[in-house]
Amino acid sequence: MTKRPRSEETLDTVLQGDGPAQTKQRVEGPLEASTDLTRILSWNVETPVPFLQLPTTQARSATTAGVTAGSNPSLLRDILRRHDYPDFVCLQEVRARHTDKQWIAALRLAANHGAHDSSPKYTLYHSLNKGTRGQRHFGVVTYAKEPHSVVATREVDWDAEGRVLILEMASGWALVNVYALNGSEYMWRDPLGRASPKTRNERKREFNRLLMEECRQMQKRGLRLVLIGDFNISLTKKDCYPRLRTEYPHGLARQEFREQFIPGLDVVDVFRELHPETKAYSWFAKGKPQGKDCARVDYALIERGLRDKVVGMVYLEDPEERGHSDHAPLLLTLRGMPAPGQGMDSTTVPGP
């Protein structure tokens, strides 16, 4: 999507080491001339309120846990500028309801804060909590720099919390923004009351099964899949510090994800494919020194057939990149994604 000139800069930086003691190391080679790249940034922001410019009454109620609404309105735009304006930006945990018109307007403004005529503008797509009561939770948004490449955007009918947003591209692939449940034995209740109550662990496993089936249906239509976001699961011991939770039901959810979800969709964990032994993390416990309690729970999962499209992937673990959030953004770079007409019959893709 984005034309890049030749550069001696490398694309990807990863953190290597054991536990908290880590050093940055360059791992990718220089870019080729006129490389056609698609760059996707994903970030669980924990709450977007620092970069939301809200009316005074809403700003006061949105301020929580020492995070002040509107305290850093350029935060999101600054991250995008530092990373050369990615083509797509997927945010999770935006904590808005679908009726929050002023929140939605503020989210739209946040990605374009201070934008000049010559700088990129982003179009907002969202999937938000349909509940009308209770605290603001959940919600995902995806920004597109080139909205003409998007032919359909949709939510899924089995989720009312705003945890899944799908963008289908004219070029035959789909970007799936995911904010999966964090399992626990607390009760989960459907915001619309359509599903029976169950534990969050039960719903987590159900969510993964439903997402897998949703993705299978897209594959049957010829769409190539790129799933990205916070999956709230660590796959191996290398993905946690100091330990991986293996007790029931956490171990069962992980087993199903590894043995059913990943092979069922024939997707690969991009970072682990590129760096089999590297320890890197995307979630960091607050109130503790960096690296003392952390996990890799945010992923880019792509179809195996797209593996040769991968240029690099990096977790932006630096505290400056994380800002107020307990999650680090990740940046995925792909080369030469399918051109229009490749990989599917364009007539099978519904319009916007």
Side-chain angles (χ1 to χ4, degrees):
M1 282 194 174
T2 304
K3 295 293 184 181
R4 305 290 180 194
R6 176 178 295 276
S7 171
E8 294 306 318
E9 293 293 329
T10 55
L11 265 181
D12 205 357
T13 306
V14 296
L15 297 181
Q16 292 195 344
D18 190 0
Q22 301 179 336
T23 57
K24 292 185 178 180
Q25 179 177 343
R26 298 288 191 179
V27 296
E28 301 293 343
L31 300 181
E32 298 175 0
S34 301
T35 302
D36 191 8
L37 301 179
T38 299
R39 302 170 67 245
I40 307 169
L41 186 140
S42 177
W43 184 26
N44 180 326
V45 296
E46 187 180 15
T47 175
V49 298
F51 51 78
L52 294 190
Q53 299 180 72
L54 297 168
T56 303
T57 54
Q58 289 201 20
R60 189 179 300 114
S61 63
T63 298
T64 180
V67 181
T68 304
S71 58
N72 192 352
S74 67
L75 173 64
L76 180 59
R77 185 73 180 186
D78 288 344
I79 291 176
L80 304 187
R81 184 176 61 253
R82 282 201 301 273
H83 298 285
D84 198 20
Y85 300 108
D87 299 283
F88 297 95
V89 181
C90 299
L91 303 185
Q92 301 88 41
E93 204 171 343
V94 298
R95 300 196 180 198
R97 292 186 285 258
H98 77 293
T99 55
D100 291 333
K101 303 304 181 185
Q102 291 173 319
W103 281 62
I104 294 170
L107 283 164
R108 182 176 293 110
L109 176 63
N112 298 303
H113 180 83
H116 302 291
D117 291 342
S118 60
S119 61
K121 310 295 192 302
Y122 286 88
T123 298
L124 172 73
Y125 305 94
H126 56 78
S127 174
L128 304 176
N129 185 7
K130 293 181 174 58
T132 57
R133 302 177 62 184
Q135 292 182 322
R136 288 179 171 86
H137 285 304
F138 328 122
V140 299
V141 302
T142 299
Y143 298 97
K145 192 168 66 175
E146 299 177 13
H148 63 270
S149 66
V150 181
V151 295
T153 65
R154 60 187 178 88
E155 302 171 89
V156 294
D157 58 11
W158 44 267
D159 169 60
E161 293 182 313
R163 292 184 176 275
V164 179
L165 179 61
I166 300 169
L167 271 61
E168 299 182 0
M169 311 300 172
S171 53
W173 63 284
L175 175 60
V176 186
N177 185 355
V178 178
Y179 177 36
L181 283 80
N182 188 8
S184 73
E185 287 302 293
Y186 290 108
M187 293 302 296
W188 173 88
R189 290 177 173 81
D190 184 356
L192 301 183
R194 297 182 302 192
S196 58
K198 57 200 69 174
T199 68
R200 291 178 61 81
N201 280 316
E202 291 171 331
R203 176 59 179 177
K204 179 181 182 70
R205 295 168 57 210
E206 181 181 59
F207 177 94
N208 289 339
R209 291 193 294 269
L210 290 167
L211 179 61
M212 180 171 65
E213 182 56 32
E214 189 77 35
C215 291
R216 280 176 170 167
Q217 294 304 314
M218 286 189 283
Q219 288 176 324
K220 288 179 180 179
R221 293 168 49 214
L223 286 164
R224 313 297 293 277
L225 299 180
V226 176
L227 294 91
I228 201 164
D230 179 5
F231 289 83
N232 261 314
I233 195 166
S234 294
L235 298 180
T236 69
K237 291 181 178 179
K238 288 193 290 287
D239 300 316
C240 278
Y241 188 86
R243 76 176 189 93
L244 182 71
R245 292 188 297 177
T246 57
E247 62 274 13
Y248 178 88
H250 305 292
L252 178 58
R254 179 181 303 107
Q255 179 182 0
E256 290 178 349
F257 195 80
R258 293 182 61 182
E259 297 180 5
Q260 297 177 26
F261 188 94
I262 289 178
L265 296 177
D266 195 25
V267 295
V268 297
D269 171 5
V270 173
F271 184 82
R272 195 53 71 206
E273 281 280 304
L274 294 176
H275 314 294
E277 301 302 323
T278 298
K279 294 186 178 181
Y281 308 104
S282 65
W283 171 84
F284 300 84
K286 288 194 169 182
K288 297 183 179 180
Q290 179 162 323
K292 290 297 184 181
D293 187 358
C294 49
R296 190 171 72 97
V297 295
D298 301 79
Y299 299 99
L301 305 175
I302 67 170
E303 285 192 31
R304 189 174 302 277
L306 296 176
R307 173 63 181 82
D308 63 348
K309 308 292 187 185
V310 175
V311 175
M313 178 180 157
V314 59
Y315 289 102
L316 307 174
E317 299 184 33
D318 190 290
E320 180 185 6
E321 305 283 11
R322 300 204 316 267
H324 64 283
S325 178
D326 53 355
H327 284 253
L330 69 86
L331 184 60
L332 170 69
T333 304
L334 305 170
R335 173 188 289 118
M337 291 297 283
Q342 291 183 346
M344 64 178 299
D345 181 348
S346 60
T347 61
T348 65
V349 181

